Structures are given as C-alpha cells and as structure tokens.
Amino acid sequence: MAPTKEEELKLRDFTGESSKLGSVECFLKAVLDIPFAFKRIDAMLYRANFENEITYLRKCFQTIEAACDDLKGSRLFLRILEAVLRAGNRMNINTNWSEPKASKLDTLLKLADVKGADGKTTLLHSAVQEIARSEDEKSDEIAENHIQFRKHGLKVVSGLSSELGSVKKAATMDFDVLHGYVSKLETGVGKITSVILLQNQCRKGERFFAVMRGFLKEAEQGIRQVRGDERKAMERVNEITGYFHGNAAKEEAHPLRIFMVARDFVAILDRVCREVSQQDRAFVGSARSFRASATTPSPLLSMHGQHGGDGNSDEATLLGVLDAHF
C-alpha cells in the first residue's frame, strides 16, 4: 500500500500542522523520512519469505523425482499395462498387428477403456482379472468360495493407488509455474544487491545493511541449490517420459503430462477394481470373450527404455484394429 509518487511528493512538501493530517498520512510522512524506506521494506519482506519459498520449491522438485522413481520402479504398473496390451493382442490375433512397437503411454491407457460387446466390460477389467487371479494362485490363503478367493488379488491390484502416491502429487504441479517461481526468487536477489548499494547514500541503518549483506550470501547459495534441484528433476522427467513415450517425448508440450496420464489411469483402475469386487460369479463368464487359447502368443509391452523401440507405432491403426473387433 505504498503511496504513489504524486502522493509521496505531496506528503514531503506538506509544511502545515500534523494535526491537520489523518493518522495514515501522519504515519506515511514519518516513514518517508527514512531513506529508501519502501525499497528497504521490500527487501525485508523478501528475506522474511525466502526460506519458506525455497523449502516449498525444493520439496516440489523432490516430489517430481520421487514420482519418476515410483513410475519406473513400479512392477505392478508395468504388469497392468502389459496385461492390457496382451488383452488387445488377443483380440487381434488374425491381423498383421502381431508385434506392435512401443506406443505412447496414453494410447495404451485409451485401450484400457475400450468396451467389449456387452458395452460394460473393458480391456482393463480383463487385465485386472488376470492379475488378480495370478496373485490369488500365489496366495497361501484358503478361500471358502470364488468371490472370497478373488479378494486377495484385487487388494494387490488396488494397491497401485498408494504405490504411486508421489505420481499423483506431481500430476497437480506445473513445471513452468515452478520455473517461474525460481526466476522470481533470482530477480529478488538482484533487488537485494541494489538495495545494499544504497548504503553510500544513507547516514543511518548500518545494522540493516550488514544483515542484508549476510542474507545475500545465503540467498545466492539457496538459489544455486534450488536451480540444481530443478535441473535434476527436469532431467529425470525427460528420462521417464522417453522411457514410456520414446521419440514422441519431444512432442510433449506439458513436461509433467506423463504424471497426469498415470494419475488418470490410477483413477480408472480404482473404479474398475470396485466394479469387479461388486460383481458376482457371472462376471467370470462375461470376461471369457477376452481370453485366448493357451497356444496363442502374447507379446509383452515393449518399453523404449527396455528394448530400444523406435516409437514409430501407428496409434490410429492400433485403436482402429481394436475397434474392428467390437
């Protein structure tokens, strides 16, 4: 609420009795007697908020790095994607699309929502059932009936939501906004430097300038650290995006979009798990339309980071072939 230049000049030039001024004007007139008062106040505000802002930014970049680790290191996430692709392959065993190249992650997630002939069951339902059965077979627990038997496997699958907790947090962030915050802090350091240079024009305030010189060193170090965190986080994001999207990663306009896709997929997965848990044994029969014979080959998901795929898969063909079978 600093006064404008015109208001400042009027207050400075006022020579009448102070009793004729309001309380606000009296206060501002006293403040204006302090050399460079508002520039110094801005510097003090910057210093007061600096630590909290640095801590916030560093936590954000650490969360992004953790999201990269969780996404790449989650075996369950890869298993579900592989199961979705296998279900799609089984539907296309009579086509030429038998060895698909690595596809963008969001394309595979679109497949997960493709509905079957009943208009309700999706490829993701089939994938969830497949993994749940696999986990149930490995379980040592003895179930009284099939529905109870299936609960262990569904619990394992639904655990992906908590396993990718950092991914969901990173999906709410905007890397450009974070970058802007860091740049704003850098600009503030420049203002601190310019305020310190005003000491030669001030007869008082030695303690203020001494404190600001000490703070300036801390601020410069903090900016270097957060810039390093930002650079490291961006490298990890590029790595994980290339891992799932291959060459298509260069086309991404939103650096953190991969986390948004994964978050949306987890939300769909949670819904499917709830639906499967609520269905009775009749669901097992409805899922048979997705199954293939034991002799049918099931190509696994080929990730760029694992098998060096070239990322040139035709996504439109991939979706069109699947649609033709429904």
Side-chain angles (χ1 to χ4, degrees), residues 39-55:
K39 288 185 178 181
R40 292 163 72 174
I41 290 173
D42 284 340
M44 293 168 66
L45 287 173
Y46 176 85
R47 177 173 176 263
N49 295 324
F50 183 81
E51 185 176 351
N52 288 337
E53 293 186 1
I54 284 289
T55 300

Side-chain angles (χ1 to χ4, degrees), residues 20-239:
K20 295 183 179 181
L21 296 176
S23 58
V24 174
E25 286 77 10
C26 285
F27 172 76
L28 288 176
K29 184 171 176 58
V31 170
L32 290 173
D33 291 336
I34 303 172
F36 309 106
F38 293 105
K39 288 185 178 181
R40 292 163 72 174
I41 290 173
D42 284 340
M44 293 168 66
L45 287 173
Y46 176 85
R47 177 173 176 263
N49 295 324
F50 183 81
E51 185 176 351
N52 288 337
E53 293 186 1
I54 284 289
T55 300
Y56 168 75
L57 287 169
R58 297 199 71 181
K59 285 184 177 179
C60 286
F61 293 134
Q62 289 169 3
T63 297
I64 291 172
E65 285 193 64
C68 293
D69 291 337
D70 290 350
L71 198 57
K72 189 173 181 180
S74 174
R75 293 182 178 273
L76 179 57
F77 183 62
L78 294 180
R79 282 183 63 191
I80 293 174
L81 293 185
E82 289 172 352
V84 170
L85 186 55
R86 280 201 300 270
N89 288 343
R90 290 168 183 171
M91 294 162 51
N92 293 276
I93 56 177
N94 294 322
T95 72
N96 294 325
W97 188 63
S98 58
E99 295 182 0
K101 301 295 183 181
S103 300
K104 291 179 68 174
L105 179 60
D106 51 358
T107 300
L108 290 176
L109 302 188
K110 290 176 184 177
L111 297 182
D113 210 29
V114 174
K115 292 182 172 60
D118 61 0
K120 298 179 180 180
T121 306
T122 66
L123 289 180
L124 188 55
H125 282 85
S126 178
V128 168
Q129 275 196 307
E130 177 182 331
I131 297 176
R133 284 195 298 267
S134 174
E135 292 296 328
D136 287 334
E137 291 170 359
K138 293 187 294 184
S139 176
D140 295 331
E141 298 178 5
I142 300 178
E144 297 179 358
N145 55 64
H146 177 77
I147 300 300
Q148 187 67 29
F149 185 66
R150 195 166 56 190
K151 285 185 177 180
H152 171 75
L154 285 175
K155 184 177 180 181
V156 172
V157 177
S158 60
L160 182 65
S161 181
S162 58
E163 190 173 310
L164 299 184
S166 295
V167 173
K168 292 189 286 187
K169 291 180 181 178
T172 64
M173 300 176 185
D174 188 317
F175 208 98
D176 293 336
V177 171
L178 295 177
H179 176 77
Y181 285 161
V182 178
S183 298
K184 185 178 179 180
L185 284 179
E186 283 183 326
T187 302
V189 169
K191 291 183 178 180
I192 295 294
T193 302
S194 63
V195 167
I196 292 175
L197 295 176
L198 297 175
Q199 184 175 9
N200 296 331
Q201 304 177 45
C202 298
R203 291 172 294 177
K204 296 181 180 180
E206 290 83 0
R207 184 171 179 273
F208 167 82
F209 291 107
V211 170
M212 283 300 162
R213 279 195 296 271
F215 168 69
L216 180 61
K217 296 179 180 179
E218 297 176 5
E220 289 174 340
Q221 182 180 358
I223 293 294
R224 285 194 296 269
Q225 289 177 339
V226 79
R227 274 298 185 196
D229 291 345
E230 178 190 19
R231 183 167 53 254
K232 186 178 178 182
M234 194 66 227
E235 289 173 354
R236 296 298 308 280
V237 169
N238 289 336
E239 176 187 345

Side-chain angles (χ1 to χ4, degrees), residues 263-279:
R263 174 201 59 191
D264 294 344
F265 174 70
V266 169
I268 297 173
L269 180 68
D270 288 342
R271 172 176 56 79
V272 169
C273 286
R274 288 194 299 269
E275 291 174 355
V276 171
S277 66
Q278 294 171 358
Q279 291 171 338

